[in-house]
Amino acid sequence: MKLTKDQQDLLDGKYGEGAQLAMKVQVAIGESFGAKRMVPITRAHVALSNQDADLWLAEKMVNLGAHCRVSPTVNPGWGIPYFKERGMGDKDDYEMMQRTHEAYKKLGATLSYNCTPYIDTNVPNFGEITAFSESSATPYVNSVWGARSNREGANSALFAAITGYVPEYGLLLDENRKGTILVEVKADMKNDYDYHMLGMCGKKIGHGIPVFVGLPEHVSKEALRNLGAQLNTSGAYDMYHIVGFTPEAQTLEMAFGGKEPERKVTITNEDFDVVLENISLEGEREIDFAMFGCPHFTLDEVRHISERIDGRKLEKDMWILVSSHVKHLCDIMGYSEDMEKLGAHIVPSTCPDQPIWKFLKGKVGVTESPKCAYYPKRRGIDFVIRDLDTCVDAALTGRVK
């Protein structure tokens, strides 16, 4: 791999042991993928997890003197002020999250604690070279914004932020961004929830870059978020195209680069039914709580829930996970206070895959997100998956259909 003087200086340790280690890893990744050079990045996002391996690496890099050249936004752990105010969590939980906070702060990260920075706080422009980890983030920045990022791990994204460089391979190259699978959507796409279901058809779609046809003319930011998140829950997808909608797929020919698709797939309502049967508990039961926000919910979704509740007291607690940015807006606009009185808690900077939710172990919730159901299951929390309005109604009545 050909390195510039600055890149070689990083590798030789001129900028310290931390930067040197980060560059060694970046070069090794590049060599394993046959990259010919390193290229500078303008943005990064690190999928911080606030768990043992993540904290070990962050503290190691701090101790080696590393500091980010490009300040990355970071994924949520859990929001200490919110839970501390309510007397929730134990000493070990707080210690782990506080240490994580201090490590990333010292590294120079932007402590956004948000898994959807691509919507409102770290939005790239078309063609920008970035280093994004987080399963919903990479397909969004590539597909919706037309920026460029490989599907980084939390560690490689952090090392990219520290060095300011990534190896040039994969989706950073024009030829690797073309579609390979034609996906004709014949299922009814009525709302944002249906894009969760479409994304969960990854097993049928198969490996490659899907090119979707048959979708509505307008697709919301939430639907696009849902699609990418679930594609990476049901499979491994760094990018997709929607013909006539996403920037690199204004036509079918443009999406496939003038080539024929490697295969064609049709997605129907029956496929959605099969997916739901495989991933959800059966309905017609009492539930213990509702949880939304994996990926984090937007202000528009909070507003929708508020309007659906319409001042009625919930029978079961509802947890709505949002970024600190959205929580601030909810506070200003009165949603936080009004909904809290009804049993709907707007929780900032928190992921469902965190030990802070241990009080829900053994309970059954409702959610519209398969990803939200997937992560907490390993902590003994189970879900019925339904569309958003059905979930809100379940929290109001205490039962789900």
Side-chain angles (χ1 to χ4, degrees):
M1 186 185 298
K2 184 177 181 181
L3 301 180
T4 65
K5 183 180 185 305
D6 184 56
Q7 293 162 2
Q8 189 64 53
D9 285 344
L10 282 162
L11 191 60
D12 291 341
K14 181 178 178 180
Y15 299 103
E17 288 184 86
Q20 182 181 34
L21 176 58
M23 194 62 178
K24 282 182 178 179
V25 173
Q26 291 295 83
V27 169
I29 291 172
E31 289 177 343
S32 70
F33 283 99
K36 296 180 180 179
R37 62 174 184 167
M38 307 285 286
V39 291
I41 62 166
T42 50
R43 298 176 187 272
H45 177 76
V46 176
L48 166 159
S49 71
N50 175 46
Q51 294 174 45
D52 291 341
D54 173 63
L55 178 58
W56 175 85
L57 180 64
E59 289 184 335
K60 179 181 179 68
M61 298 309 291
V62 168
N63 293 333
L64 290 175
H67 194 272
C68 295
R69 286 184 168 188
V70 177
S71 180
T73 49
V74 295
N75 254 30
W78 57 273
I80 289 179
Y82 179 91
F83 288 96
K84 194 170 187 178
E85 183 180 306
R86 289 156 180 79
M88 302 168 71
D90 56 36
K91 182 181 177 181
D92 289 342
D93 295 337
Y94 279 92
E95 181 182 358
M96 181 75 84
M97 188 64 234
Q98 190 62 46
R99 284 173 58 192
T100 302
H101 176 85
E102 292 302 325
Y104 278 93
K105 181 179 178 181
K106 289 174 182 176
L107 287 169
T110 298
L111 301 177
S112 55
Y113 296 126
N114 174 17
C115 60
T116 59
Y118 48 80
I119 287 180
D120 49 23
T121 55
N122 193 0
V123 181
N125 292 312
F126 181 85
E128 273 192 74
I129 305 299
T130 68
F132 272 65
S133 53
E134 211 290 320
S135 55
S136 74
T138 305
Y140 206 104
V141 301
N142 279 310
S143 308
V144 179
W145 298 129
R148 300 194 172 198
S149 176
N150 285 310
R151 189 183 181 191
E152 302 288 352
N155 50 4
S156 63
L158 177 59
F159 293 159
I162 290 169
T163 62
Y165 297 105
V166 289
E168 188 180 42
Y169 72 96
L171 292 179
L172 305 190
L173 302 171
D174 290 344
E175 60 267 26
N176 296 327
R177 297 176 64 83
K178 306 303 181 184
T180 57
I181 312 159
L182 179 62
V183 182
E184 184 177 6
V185 181
K186 292 190 174 181
D188 298 324
M189 305 302 291
K190 306 176 295 299
N191 51 43
D192 296 340
Y193 166 78
D194 292 318
Y195 289 83
H196 278 307
M197 293 295 105
L198 179 58
M200 287 302 294
C201 292
K203 186 175 181 180
K204 183 173 182 179
I205 293 169
H207 180 69
I209 297 180
V211 176
F212 294 100
V213 295
L215 293 176
E217 183 177 353
H218 174 72
V219 186
S220 72
K221 61 184 180 296
E222 293 83 3
L224 294 163
R225 174 205 64 197
N226 294 349
L227 176 59
Q230 306 314 335
L231 281 171
N232 275 327
T233 302
S234 66
Y237 297 88
D238 309 327
M239 187 172 184
Y240 61 82
H241 298 290
I242 300 174
V243 175
F245 185 83
T246 52
E248 294 171 75
Q250 293 304 297
T251 64
L252 201 61
E253 182 179 11
M254 185 178 175
F256 285 104
K259 298 180 180 179
E260 289 296 312
E262 294 176 6
R263 61 183 176 280
K264 300 179 181 180
V265 177
T266 301
I267 302 296
T268 66
N269 289 332
E270 288 71 29
D271 292 310
F272 287 4
D273 292 339
V274 170
V275 163
L276 190 61
E277 184 177 348
N278 288 331
I279 64 175
S280 172
L281 291 182
E282 292 183 2
E284 299 298 340
R285 67 166 73 213
E286 184 176 352
I287 55 105
D288 298 304
F289 68 97
M291 182 176 284
F292 310 119
C294 185
H296 275 162
F297 259 27
T298 65
L299 181 65
D300 289 341
E301 288 171 312
V302 173
R303 182 185 292 113
H304 178 87
I305 293 171
S306 177
E307 292 172 353
R308 184 79 179 182
I309 293 173
D310 193 25
R312 292 173 288 174
K313 180 72 175 177
L314 298 179
E315 185 68 24
K316 303 292 182 178
D317 278 327
M318 177 185 293
W319 307 92
I320 307 170
L321 313 185
V322 300
S323 68
S324 57
H325 170 72
V326 169
K327 179 63 164 65
H328 181 60
L329 291 174
C330 288
D331 291 348
I332 293 172
M333 299 171 72
Y335 288 122
S336 298
E337 183 178 359
D338 292 346
M339 294 174 72
E340 185 78 24
K341 293 175 183 176
L342 302 174
H345 316 291
I346 303 174
V347 185
S349 307
T350 302
C351 173
D353 187 22
Q354 287 287 319
I356 195 67
W357 299 110
K358 64 184 71 171
F359 67 92
L360 295 176
K361 184 176 181 179
K363 297 185 182 297
V364 174
V366 290
T367 185
E368 39 60 76
S369 167
K371 186 177 180 183
C372 185
Y374 176 81
Y375 285 121
K377 189 172 181 64
R378 70 190 182 103
R379 300 182 185 276
I381 307 170
D382 290 307
F383 285 89
V384 177
I385 301 171
R386 295 291 186 265
D387 66 89
L388 180 58
D389 286 351
T390 298
C391 291
V392 173
D393 293 347
L396 283 164
T397 64
R399 291 189 62 84
V400 64
K401 296 179 181 179

